[in-house]
Amino acid sequence: MASDSLDALRLVEGIGTVRVLLDDHHDSDKINIGLAADAGYRGTFGSEADDSLEELRDVFLRKAHLAAMERSVAAHLAQTGEGVERIHSLTLRDIRSERHTTALLRRRSAIGLSICPNSRVFVDEHGQSVAPEEIPLKLRFAKSVRISIEGNSHFCRGLLATRYSDSEPIGSSPRITDIRTRRFQ
């Protein structure tokens, strides 16, 4: 994803020549050579890159949608006291948690699903409603995906905070921010 950083920096008007270097990664040398050559993911990793980076991003976007959907449904059930039998008929209009709804709408939009208030909440990656009898199993799977994502995020934030905890801040802002607590590491 270092190439994403390079792409974003190149969009800054008047920035001049940009060079992004990845440090302290098991493939730093290979990635840095690929970045310098503008080789892209497949050009950098060759036969190791069975899938394109876009396919990998799509997997992550679908998982993010699944996690956001589960969060929204769980928050709705907790707020209303309704049971899982109600999930199949929930629409985006029914979901009241602004924090969860905003995230869900952003995720749905990212994978091309409807954000119309009358759209069903609990859908597959193609926007098709899930059959009522399949919902309990799919809801458990969505919860396991969410927990996995949250666990990986926590692990990564911890590694970054540990790695850079003794580093001097760049300019007037710190290098690592824990966005969940807004504490600076």
Side-chain angles (χ1 to χ4, degrees):
M1 306 285 166
S3 64
D4 292 336
S5 298
L6 184 59
D7 292 342
L9 288 168
R10 285 178 174 161
L11 293 174
V12 177
E13 190 174 325
I15 198 167
T17 303
V18 176
R19 185 171 176 215
V20 172
L21 292 172
L22 185 62
D23 183 34
D24 198 20
H25 183 277
H26 71 278
D27 271 337
S28 292
D29 292 339
K30 182 186 277 191
I31 292 169
N32 288 334
I33 289 168
L35 284 169
D38 256 338
Y41 180 67
R42 286 193 170 162
T44 300
F45 289 99
S47 63
E48 296 175 50
D50 290 337
D51 297 325
S52 75
L53 195 51
E54 290 307 314
E55 291 166 344
L56 181 60
R57 285 183 178 145
D58 287 343
V59 168
F60 284 122
L61 288 172
R62 287 192 303 272
K63 286 183 177 185
H65 167 254
L66 197 56
M69 184 173 61
E70 188 275 334
R71 264 188 227 101
S72 293
V73 167
H76 176 79
L77 296 181
Q79 287 173 352
T80 64
E82 295 174 344
V84 293
E85 67 280 351
R86 169 82 165 90
I87 294 173
H88 78 280
S89 63
L90 284 177
T91 63
L92 292 174
R93 180 184 312 282
D94 298 324
I95 304 296
R96 297 186 190 126
S97 172
E98 186 172 320
R99 181 175 141 222
H100 296 300
T101 304
T102 301
L104 178 60
L105 294 175
R106 199 170 57 248
R107 303 297 187 252
R108 287 176 72 109
S109 182
I111 62 173
L113 299 182
S114 172
I115 57 172
C116 171
N118 296 323
S119 297
R120 297 277 186 214
V121 172
F122 208 83
V123 296
D124 65 17
E125 65 189 52
H126 306 291
Q128 300 300 310
S129 294
V130 175
E133 63 274 8
E134 295 177 19
I135 286 178
L137 181 60
K138 298 227 185 240
L139 187 61
R140 281 194 301 273
F141 177 71
K143 184 175 184 177
S144 70
V145 168
R146 177 187 55 81
I147 290 169
S148 177
I149 290 170
E150 290 173 355
N152 285 332
S153 298
H154 178 76
F155 179 72
C156 289
R157 282 191 302 274
L159 287 175
L160 288 170
T162 300
R163 179 177 181 180
Y164 295 112
S165 65
D166 61 347
S167 297
E168 291 295 319
I170 297 172
S172 62
S173 59
R175 296 180 84 166
I176 302 296
T177 303
D178 181 340
I179 61 170
R180 292 190 179 228
T181 64
R182 298 288 182 207
R183 287 184 301 130
F184 297 111
Q185 304 294 324

